[in-house]
Amino acid sequence: MKRKVSLAAVLLLSGAILTGCATQIEKGTSLLEEKKYEEAAEAFEKASKKSSMEKEAYRGLGISYYELKQFDRAKEAIETALEKGAEETPELYAMLGASCMEVGQYEEAASYFEKGSQSGEMEDSLKKEMLFNEISALEKAQKYAEAKEKADAYLKLYPDDETVQKEAEFLSTQAGNE
């Protein structure tokens, strides 16, 4: 992967949590901003027990676990947040995809990166990152033909990316062996 979701994107995402939420959510959000991830996780865990705040609490919990590099727990919390109706943002899908990559669930990671890259407005750098990471996830899942197809689509958008040009060449040889 080129890089994981930056803390700035996480804080941007967590800023949405503050609006109209209860004390534990506000406390958790403040703790996230202060980079006190364990304490933030505790606050969001408490908030997740209250049904009126579940989606915000699970989203915050997922961010906290992600920053703590507890990727299996981050994945579970973010998926729960989405199931409970949390806003589907590109940043959330990027964290979800990165978490799946870290726990070796490459096909699922590719799916989340694809969904994230199509889930609304975002900075071009985030879109480019997710498209690249989707190719990487498919390659790790040994889905070479599909990865090659995604690399070709990527190169239509970013034709000067030499790393992906080389990757597409490699994937061509591997796709022939599938």
Side-chain angles (χ1 to χ4, degrees), residues 3-153:
R3 67 178 175 87
K4 294 182 186 156
V5 178
S6 68
L7 181 58
V10 171
L11 292 177
L12 175 69
L13 179 63
S14 68
I17 296 171
L18 269 173
T19 311
C21 295
T23 307
Q24 288 300 320
I25 300 290
E26 291 173 359
K27 181 179 177 182
T29 301
S30 293
L31 289 165
L32 271 178
E33 291 170 353
E34 295 171 26
K35 299 181 182 182
K36 297 180 179 177
Y37 305 121
E38 288 183 29
E39 294 93 336
E42 290 173 16
F44 289 123
E45 187 71 47
K46 288 178 186 173
S48 71
K49 304 207 183 326
K50 299 176 182 171
S51 62
S52 64
M53 298 180 283
E54 280 183 317
K55 66 183 176 187
E56 293 88 359
Y58 280 108
R59 178 177 31 207
L61 196 55
I63 294 167
S64 299
Y65 287 144
Y66 182 85
E67 292 298 334
L68 289 167
K69 298 185 183 345
Q70 296 178 12
F71 299 111
D72 53 338
R73 295 176 86 186
K75 176 184 177 288
E76 183 180 325
I78 294 169
E79 287 174 335
T80 300
L82 291 170
E83 288 168 12
K84 303 234 178 244
E87 182 182 355
E88 296 182 25
T89 64
E91 295 84 2
L92 206 55
Y93 280 115
M95 277 191 288
L96 195 48
S99 294
C100 288
M101 289 285 285
E102 291 291 340
V103 297
Q105 298 172 341
Y106 304 120
E107 288 183 56
E108 201 170 350
S111 173
Y112 285 131
F113 288 131
E114 179 178 38
K115 197 166 191 177
S117 68
Q118 299 172 357
S119 67
E121 287 187 36
M122 70 193 84
E123 289 185 23
D124 190 56
S125 61
L126 180 59
K127 183 173 184 132
K128 186 176 182 179
E129 174 188 326
M130 281 196 284
L131 293 171
F132 179 89
N133 288 341
E134 183 182 359
I135 296 163
S136 296
L138 289 167
E139 180 182 344
K140 287 186 179 283
Q142 298 181 342
K143 301 272 185 173
Y144 301 115
E146 194 174 342
K148 170 69 168 107
E149 185 178 302
K150 296 292 182 174
D152 291 343

